[in-house]
Amino acid sequence: MASAQTAEKVQKTYHTKATGDALRTVEKHAHDAELKLFGSCFCPFVQVWYSINSRRRTRIKSPNANPRLTDGVNARKRVWIALELAGWGCYESTVLMEYVDDIAQVKLHPHDPKEKAHSRLWADHGSTISFVDVNVAPWILRCSRVLQPYRGWQPPSEDSRFGRFIAALEGHAGIKATTSGDELYLDSYERYADNRPNTSQVAKAINEGRGLP
């Protein structure tokens, strides 16, 4: 009993490889391709790769697989998603989503300019997943996987509008194909929940009362 009382908590670490459905999707795209996507497996911004995976043949690699992620392609170095196409590179999740929407035959944005403008302001609750839905889905998915165990988040009623929206995202085949097992998120976000030193530049800036980097 004494040893149990004095035993230190085993700190969980970041996962470096996707798990579950997301891993199976990555393995399907492990072949060589002109368009390459680099990203961290647990970052919510990276999960918008659903918009790329669903409409274009893409090779997907982990952030540790190629130094170009933090060198030539991703100039900011702290953003864990980048895309490379025939020597050209870009980063930032929404920028990459816009780029893929521009070159894809199947659009996430509606064709009508007015509807397109509204889609940037409001989530589309229709039967077709929208550009906005894909942007917010990673954060919604992390409510039950991260906020609930670490901060006591309570899910909405299943018959509420928000509850139905969550259920629709959770059940969407494309979203599920880019979602790892719950343990990956539980492990990877523990350091954020514990506010460990040097977890991220953003956390450091907030703790020091500085502007965001």
Side-chain angles (χ1 to χ4, degrees):
M1 185 173 63
S3 60
Q5 292 177 341
T6 57
E8 294 184 3
K9 176 183 176 181
V10 177
Q11 293 185 337
K12 299 174 183 177
T13 59
Y14 292 127
H15 283 241
T16 59
K17 189 175 182 179
T19 63
D21 290 337
L23 176 58
R24 286 184 279 275
T25 301
V26 169
E27 290 172 343
K28 291 179 182 178
H29 292 270
H31 55 78
D32 195 23
E34 184 182 35
L35 185 66
K36 298 179 176 64
L37 178 69
F38 304 87
S40 169
C41 61
F42 71 90
C43 178
F45 295 105
V46 174
Q47 197 169 356
V48 300
W49 62 278
Y50 155 72
S51 65
I52 301 174
N53 169 59
S54 62
R55 292 173 297 159
R56 178 132 177 148
R57 292 178 63 84
T58 311
R59 185 178 185 185
I60 301 168
K61 306 180 76 173
S62 77
N64 298 324
N66 194 319
R68 288 183 60 82
L69 177 66
T70 53
D71 292 338
V73 175
N74 182 359
R76 294 181 68 183
K77 299 187 178 182
R78 67 179 179 83
V79 182
W80 290 105
I81 182 171
L83 182 146
E84 182 182 11
L85 175 64
W88 172 82
C90 195
Y91 55 94
E92 292 284 11
S93 57
T94 52
V95 174
L96 299 186
M97 285 181 64
E98 292 277 5
Y99 169 73
V100 172
D101 212 54
D102 287 339
I103 65 175
Q105 293 182 344
V106 180
K107 306 291 184 181
L108 283 177
H109 272 313
H111 292 287
D112 181 77
K114 293 179 181 178
E115 292 183 5
K116 183 177 180 179
H118 282 158
S119 79
R120 289 192 170 107
L121 296 174
W122 309 104
D124 177 12
H125 295 283
S127 59
T128 303
I129 196 166
S130 74
F131 186 92
V132 180
D133 294 323
V134 175
N135 265 286
V136 301
W139 306 95
I140 298 298
L141 298 180
R142 282 158 178 77
C143 286
S144 62
R145 294 165 175 81
V146 178
L147 283 184
Q148 190 167 9
Y150 287 127
R151 294 293 184 263
W153 177 82
Q154 294 299 311
S157 171
E158 293 182 358
D159 60 355
S160 67
R161 189 176 184 182
F162 189 37
R164 293 194 300 270
F165 178 55
I166 293 176
L169 291 178
E170 291 277 5
H172 191 278
I175 299 297
K176 290 170 66 176
T178 59
T179 303
S180 290
D182 292 357
E183 186 177 1
L184 178 144
Y185 303 107
L186 196 64
D187 291 348
S188 298
Y189 284 96
E190 185 187 65
R191 62 180 61 198
Y192 292 95
D194 293 344
N195 195 25
R196 296 183 202 164
N198 302 317
T199 294
S200 72
Q201 294 183 32
V202 173
K204 190 173 187 294
I206 293 174
N207 291 335
E208 295 176 355
R210 298 185 289 105
L212 298 181

